[in-house]
């Protein structure tokens, strides 16, 4: 996360009942969630090797954590994940484009067939915070989570200003889609001025 979870949790006095982390990788943020009093956490990670490491980490944490080895999208089926080097952190259903120029040290030399489900098919209880990092596939995930978004108050999301991955949604498209559910983008952080990807925080306007 480019923006500290603890920082935004305190700054916006968030009342988080549970977290849905989509594209959880190794679960690097899980302990920070727990340190901030979050006990209900649902994680999604499609890659088998990555999920096994995530599962091991979860087993050592004191919280109610449910994990699912699936990708999320706008419809159920299967997809080919393009696996990156550097611990597979940049892996995506989409093919890399500008990513190859922005991060020449990261290569994409492997693939893995993964199951794709939709978020609305999962019981996430009363969780109301989504952290999503799926390398340009965020909008497709949201399209499969329309019912879920109705109960979400906070979305922390990777955003793109250009085609970092082939066909990825731009930040303006996410603004428009999430705006339809009452969300406003209140924080955005880009790593450097020339970078075309970053992280953003959306908060639902309860008055809408």
């Amino acid at each position: 996360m480019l923006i500290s979870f603890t920082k935004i949790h305190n700054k916006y006095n968030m009342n988080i009942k549970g977290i849905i982390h989509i594209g959880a990788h190794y679960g690097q943020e899980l302990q920070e969630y727990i340190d901030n009093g979050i006990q209900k956490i649902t994680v999604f990670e499609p890659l088998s090797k990555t999920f096994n490491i995530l599962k091991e980490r979860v087993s050592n944490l004191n919280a109610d954590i449910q994990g699912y080895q699936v990708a999320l999208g706008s419809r159920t089926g299967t997809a080919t994940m393009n696996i990156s080097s550097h611990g597979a952190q940049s892996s995506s259903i989409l093919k890399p484009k500008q990513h190859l120029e922005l991060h020449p040290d990261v290569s994409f030399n492997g693939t893995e067939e993964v199951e794709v489900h939709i978020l609305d098919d999962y019981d996430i209880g009363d969780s109301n915070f989504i952290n999503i990092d799926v390398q340009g596939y965020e909008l497709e995930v949201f399209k499969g989570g329309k019912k879920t978004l109705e109960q979400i108050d906070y979305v922390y999301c990777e955003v793109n200003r250009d085609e970092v991955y082939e066909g990825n949604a731009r930040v303006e498209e996410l603004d428009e889609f999430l705006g339809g559910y009452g969300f406003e983008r209140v924080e955005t952080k880009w790593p450097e001025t020339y970078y075309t990807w970053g992280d953003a925080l959306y908060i639902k306007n309860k008055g809408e």
Side-chain angles (χ1 to χ4, degrees), residues 38-161:
I38 314 301
Q39 279 291 300
K40 170 65 175 175
I41 305 169
T42 307
V43 294
F44 294 89
E45 173 54 50
L47 295 176
S48 53
K49 290 183 179 179
T50 307
F51 185 80
N52 287 338
I53 295 171
L54 172 64
K55 186 166 63 173
E56 179 66 24
R57 173 167 286 181
V58 164
S59 69
N60 294 316
L61 296 175
N62 184 23
D64 176 13
I65 305 175
Q66 297 294 320
Y68 299 97
Q69 188 188 336
V70 298
L72 294 178
S74 58
R75 59 180 63 87
T76 59
T78 60
T80 301
M81 290 280 293
N82 300 286
I83 303 176
S84 74
S85 57
H86 289 254
Q89 291 188 71
S90 299
S91 303
S92 177
I93 288 176
L94 304 177
K95 293 181 179 179
K97 191 171 182 181
Q98 282 191 351
H99 195 289
L100 300 173
E101 303 170 15
L102 295 172
H103 305 282
D105 56 322
V106 178
S107 58
F108 293 79
N109 296 320
T111 61
E112 182 178 332
E113 291 297 308
V114 299
E115 290 186 39
V116 181
H117 296 180
I118 63 171
L119 179 57
D120 281 345
D121 282 346
Y122 289 86
D123 179 6
I124 49 101
D126 58 356
S127 296
N128 62 337
F129 184 108
I130 288 178
N131 183 353
I132 178 169
D133 182 2
V134 291
Q135 308 300 314
Y137 209 63
E138 289 79 11
L139 183 56
E140 291 303 303
V141 176
F142 290 139
K143 288 178 179 177
K146 294 178 179 179
K147 291 181 180 179
T148 304
L149 284 173
E150 294 174 0
Q151 74 172 65
I152 300 298
D153 296 316
Y154 315 99
V155 173
Y156 185 96
C157 180
E158 184 169 295
V159 291
N160 295 285
R161 291 192 281 201

Side-chain angles (χ1 to χ4, degrees), residues 155-173:
V155 173
Y156 185 96
C157 180
E158 184 169 295
V159 291
N160 295 285
R161 291 192 281 201
D162 209 334
E163 207 171 5
V164 180
Y165 292 82
E166 291 183 9
N168 65 234
R170 266 65 163 189
V171 62
E172 295 84 4
E173 296 175 80

